[in-house]
Amino acid sequence: MKKLRAPSSKRYGEKLQAPNSKLQRSTKIQAPKAARKNTRRSRYSNTEIVGMRVHENPNGNGASRHPFDLEERTTCFGEAIVQFVKKVPRSPGNDRLVGQLVGCGTSIGANYCEANERVSKKDFRNTIGRCVKEAKETKYFLRLIAAAEPQLAEQARSLYREAKELHLIFASMFRQ
């Protein structure tokens, strides 16, 4: 029976690095005090940051790339869902519905952004299929929240109409 040997570093031309006892400094927290003095502070206060919204303006003048820009439309829809769920009263039943609604309502836009960066037609179709499913699921949870909280039914109805339009758009794209 032959004994197996570990490969020798001489045979393969490798050099082994000796262990180092010094700590590697990779973050600002571990940097020496002299280096920490030069950190810059943000020029915005916390109240200004909270009120800001992030938008990409491709033309620089605030106009969208196309009048039917689905990426912007799905982003605005996700923002509207997040604002809507802040108005839903907290309770164990509502919390579950809110979590589900935020998940599916915001993932429509995320999946559409992913579909735009497709690798192949098959990948695009698969990702658009997820958009269809998430839009349908969003309609379902909006309907349940409207039933659970009748005072929010009108706002849920308008979001439901937008979710329905998005569902129809993505279903049409999926069928092509």
Side-chain angles (χ1 to χ4, degrees):
M1 185 181 253
K2 283 188 171 182
K3 284 189 178 180
L4 295 175
R5 289 187 342 183
S8 141
S9 63
K10 286 183 181 179
R11 185 186 314 164
Y12 295 106
E14 297 176 4
K15 290 184 179 180
L16 298 176
Q17 186 177 2
N20 191 349
S21 63
K22 293 182 181 179
L23 292 174
Q24 298 293 322
R25 292 188 174 135
S26 61
T27 63
K28 290 180 182 178
I29 297 170
Q30 294 175 343
K33 290 181 183 178
R36 277 190 246 154
K37 289 180 184 176
N38 295 332
T39 58
R40 294 190 321 168
R41 290 183 177 237
S42 174
R43 57 185 189 163
Y44 301 108
S45 69
N46 286 340
T47 55
E48 288 175 309
I49 292 172
V50 171
M52 289 184 186
R53 291 176 67 187
V54 178
H55 292 288
E56 288 185 19
N57 294 331
N59 300 335
N61 60 4
S64 67
R65 290 174 283 200
H66 190 274
F68 305 108
D69 188 7
L70 272 176
E71 193 169 320
E72 180 65 23
R73 186 172 176 176
T74 55
T75 302
C76 289
F77 179 70
E79 291 170 353
I81 290 288
V82 170
Q83 293 303 314
F84 171 71
V85 297
K86 288 180 179 179
K87 297 174 185 173
V88 178
R90 301 285 310 250
S91 73
N94 286 352
D95 288 346
R96 178 69 177 161
L97 295 175
V98 163
Q100 291 286 335
L101 179 61
V102 169
C104 60
T106 56
S107 69
I108 297 170
N111 284 318
Y112 180 70
C113 290
E114 185 180 340
N116 276 341
E117 301 300 322
R118 65 192 175 268
V119 177
S120 65
K121 187 169 183 167
K122 186 176 179 181
D123 181 38
F124 177 77
R125 194 168 188 277
N126 180 41
T127 312
I128 290 295
R130 277 188 271 148
C131 292
V132 172
K133 290 177 183 179
E134 296 294 344
K136 193 169 185 177
E137 189 177 341
T138 301
K139 292 184 339 186
Y140 176 78
F141 285 110
L142 281 167
R143 184 175 172 186
L144 290 179
I145 288 179
E149 299 297 328
Q151 73 274 14
L152 297 173
E154 190 54 42
Q155 192 174 3
R157 235 178 253 116
S158 68
L159 289 170
Y160 183 91
R161 281 191 291 272
E162 178 66 9
K164 183 177 180 179
E165 286 180 21
L166 289 172
H167 177 252
L168 293 172
I169 290 168
F170 290 125
S172 172
M173 291 169 73
F174 183 75
R175 281 190 299 264
Q176 289 181 356

